[in-house]
Amino acid sequence: MVDFGLIDEWNPAPGRVVSWVATPRSLAYAAAAPVHDVPPSHQQEHYLRRSPRNTGTDYRTSGLCLVTAEVPTVLDQDAMTRAVNEFLARHDTFRSWFALEPGGTIRRHLLEPGQVEFAPVDHGHIDNAEAVRDLVQKQTPPPSQWDCFTFWTIEHDESTTVYMAVDHLHTDGVGQHISCFELACLYAKHAWGQIPPIPRPASYTQYCARERTASARLTPASPEVETWLRLLRGNDGELPSFPLDLGIRGGDSDRSAHRTVPLFGEDEAARFEKVCRDHGGEFAGGVFAAAALAERALTESDYYFGITPLNTRSTFEEMASIGWYVALIPVAFPIGVHPTFERTVARAQRAYENGMRLKAATIHRVLELAPPDSGIQVGPNWSNPMISYVDARDFAGSEYFDIARGGLYGNRAASEEALIWINRLPAETTISVIYPDNSIAHESVDRYLATLGRVLREAARER
């Protein structure tokens, strides 16, 4: 299985700690990198504008993504150095940094190929897991700096813990899985001469250019924009929110809390998928049907309106590319007067598929286009809850997750909403939630998880 959680919950074994960070020469190249005409993606721009909101706190408020794995061998440091630098050279997102100009425009600066160079730094033996966690978070720069990604190892007697820390600016959930598999392949190439089975990745910068070109064509009269605006007006002009109180008042935020609970073994997951297909849906539709029924049980709502992130990689090369390839799409449908899971799943599946048709109309651009008299009340620093379903069995190298004892962790960043991931892995399916760390939110999330889990398990039970 893969461990999910907060970096605070990661407990690495003691050992000699080495990091790979940008060299002084590479930092100088970055400082002098010229402005590039491609803006950040819409998702990146919103993230960059929100990141400074909580400056002055004593913790990192932006998202830091940590990917970990255990290697049953003594580390070849030279091979690791070559693997890290080849990995960075393959993905052009790592050549970009962004500056907020006085007029409010965010500009991309782009290093030339070959100007990115990372070198090892020996931190000596560390026998305290908390010290290891603190070090990676303090040594990985924020998204306001170019080099907001670092690579690390902990050398034990006969094994090595390998981990990388990348600010969310440059990665998403799929990108984290790609990173783990690709780094392993590149290390095997440089340590043992194995030919890595990895394709040449697409350019994330070119993806951002295409996204911006497509969104620039949209107008308030575009059908996709009209659909989004209709859904928002039907929700009192607001984005959806978590159905229970999270204890956040007046735009404040708390640090993140985390819960991961087991949902299905693979036999149960297969039964759940069969029930969904027998009644006109797929696994994803079943997830949103269950979410709607859970919300109805908790709030008596007769209408479901949620948001889910969609992986926007669309080519073979993009499926090997690291970047933030995500669109937020709506999933909205009436629940009905006497709903059952079997009646709801087809309706939820249709809503999910209708939402997928809106992936080119990013919500960020929709809100820019909303007319002043549209009734939309969404402010510039908005946040939203989400439910994400990921079938990680499709990822390259997923069969090695258990062997490598992989882990995906995030830092305790600022949190205002509940973010839910349902992850289907080869052996089990889990539910993970990141939410504000306060007593009200803890109670609400406990109630929600108990209700959602009950609906899902009842749908999967043998009939």
Side-chain angles (χ1 to χ4, degrees), residues 241 260 354 429:
S241 59
T260 288
N354 288 337
T429 300

Side-chain angles (χ1 to χ4, degrees), residues 27-163:
L27 290 171
Y29 283 135
V35 171
H36 192 273
D37 60 356
V38 175
S41 71
H42 284 287
Q43 185 79 41
Q44 286 180 313
E45 180 179 355
H46 184 66
Y47 176 77
L48 288 165
R49 293 190 186 282
R50 279 179 54 87
S51 291
R53 285 187 67 214
N54 297 298
T55 52
T57 62
D58 60 354
Y59 62 93
R60 184 191 186 107
T61 56
S62 63
L64 185 65
C65 305
L66 191 72
V67 181
T68 72
E70 303 295 326
V71 180
T73 185
V74 176
L75 181 78
D76 180 334
Q77 190 175 111
D78 289 340
M80 184 68 181
T81 301
R82 291 194 294 272
V84 164
N85 281 296
E86 184 172 353
F87 173 79
L88 291 171
R90 284 171 52 82
H91 301 284
D92 68 350
T93 189
F94 297 120
R95 291 195 285 116
S96 288
W97 63 272
F98 302 94
L100 179 61
E101 297 187 344
T105 301
I106 294 178
R107 299 285 188 195
R108 179 192 301 269
H109 292 252
L110 190 67
L111 286 77
E112 295 293 333
Q115 292 183 335
V116 177
E117 178 186 53
F118 273 43
V121 176
D122 195 332
H123 300 273
H125 186 91
I126 300 179
D127 58 6
N128 182 296
E130 183 178 0
V132 173
R133 295 192 299 263
D134 287 346
L135 187 63
V136 67
Q137 294 181 83
K138 290 176 180 177
Q139 294 289 317
T140 307
S144 57
Q145 296 178 221
W146 159 61
D147 55 329
C148 54
F149 36 89
T150 55
F151 303 80
W152 301 74
T153 60
I154 308 173
E155 298 175 43
H156 316 296
D157 290 338
E158 297 181 351
S159 66
T160 305
T161 301
V162 180
Y163 55 112

Side-chain angles (χ1 to χ4, degrees), residues 38-327:
V38 175
S41 71
H42 284 287
Q43 185 79 41
Q44 286 180 313
E45 180 179 355
H46 184 66
Y47 176 77
L48 288 165
R49 293 190 186 282
R50 279 179 54 87
S51 291
R53 285 187 67 214
N54 297 298
T55 52
T57 62
D58 60 354
Y59 62 93
R60 184 191 186 107
T61 56
S62 63
L64 185 65
C65 305
L66 191 72
V67 181
T68 72
E70 303 295 326
V71 180
T73 185
V74 176
L75 181 78
D76 180 334
Q77 190 175 111
D78 289 340
M80 184 68 181
T81 301
R82 291 194 294 272
V84 164
N85 281 296
E86 184 172 353
F87 173 79
L88 291 171
R90 284 171 52 82
H91 301 284
D92 68 350
T93 189
F94 297 120
R95 291 195 285 116
S96 288
W97 63 272
F98 302 94
L100 179 61
E101 297 187 344
T105 301
I106 294 178
R107 299 285 188 195
R108 179 192 301 269
H109 292 252
L110 190 67
L111 286 77
E112 295 293 333
Q115 292 183 335
V116 177
E117 178 186 53
F118 273 43
V121 176
D122 195 332
H123 300 273
H125 186 91
I126 300 179
D127 58 6
N128 182 296
E130 183 178 0
V132 173
R133 295 192 299 263
D134 287 346
L135 187 63
V136 67
Q137 294 181 83
K138 290 176 180 177
Q139 294 289 317
T140 307
S144 57
Q145 296 178 221
W146 159 61
D147 55 329
C148 54
F149 36 89
T150 55
F151 303 80
W152 301 74
T153 60
I154 308 173
E155 298 175 43
H156 316 296
D157 290 338
E158 297 181 351
S159 66
T160 305
T161 301
V162 180
Y163 55 112
M164 63 176 291
V166 181
D167 193 273
H168 204 341
L169 179 69
H170 290 293
T171 192
D172 54 19
V174 174
Q176 292 168 51
H177 284 90
I178 294 170
S179 300
C180 186
F181 178 69
E182 184 172 306
L183 267 175
C185 289
L186 293 173
Y187 180 81
K189 169 186 174 181
H190 293 292
W192 306 306
Q194 297 181 4
I195 299 175
I198 48 178
R200 181 180 298 277
S203 163
Y204 182 66
T205 305
Q206 292 178 10
Y207 167 83
C208 293
R210 292 196 305 275
E211 181 198 61
R212 289 288 183 162
T213 298
S215 68
R217 298 191 188 105
L218 297 172
T219 72
S222 298
E224 306 97 316
V225 176
E226 288 186 331
T227 298
W228 261 117
L229 295 178
R230 174 174 52 78
L231 291 172
L232 294 173
R233 282 194 293 267
N235 197 51
D236 297 326
E238 298 282 358
L239 289 165
S241 59
F242 189 69
L244 300 176
D245 188 1
L246 292 175
I248 298 296
R249 304 289 183 265
D252 292 335
S253 64
D254 285 332
R255 295 194 72 177
S256 301
H258 159 255
R259 289 279 308 279
T260 288
V261 296
L263 177 61
F264 296 141
E266 181 52 27
D267 288 345
E268 290 176 290
R271 284 202 305 272
F272 177 78
E273 186 169 51
K274 183 177 186 304
V275 170
C276 294
R277 288 177 173 171
D278 287 348
H279 294 88
E282 296 291 340
F283 203 113
V287 165
F288 292 105
L293 295 174
E295 193 163 317
R296 180 175 180 82
L298 292 166
T299 68
E300 299 184 353
S301 172
D302 60 1
Y303 186 80
Y304 179 77
F305 180 21
I307 284 180
T308 187
L310 185 70
N311 175 23
T312 55
R313 293 170 175 85
S314 59
T315 67
F316 182 69
E317 292 77 15
E318 284 183 352
M319 287 305 298
S321 177
I322 305 225
W324 203 342
Y325 288 88
V326 168

Side-chain angles (χ1 to χ4, degrees), residues 242 261 263-264 272 286-295 297-298 304 341 386-387 420-422 430-433 445-459:
F242 189 69
V261 296
L263 177 61
F264 296 141
F272 177 78
V287 165
F288 292 105
L293 295 174
E295 193 163 317
L298 292 166
Y304 179 77
F341 182 85
M386 71 169 199
I387 296 179
I420 302 171
W421 291 265
I422 296 181
T430 62
I431 305 178
S432 295
V433 189
V445 168
D446 285 347
R447 287 180 59 205
Y448 184 84
L449 283 177
T451 306
L452 178 63
R454 184 179 67 250
V455 174
L456 287 163
R457 292 185 188 97
E458 286 179 355

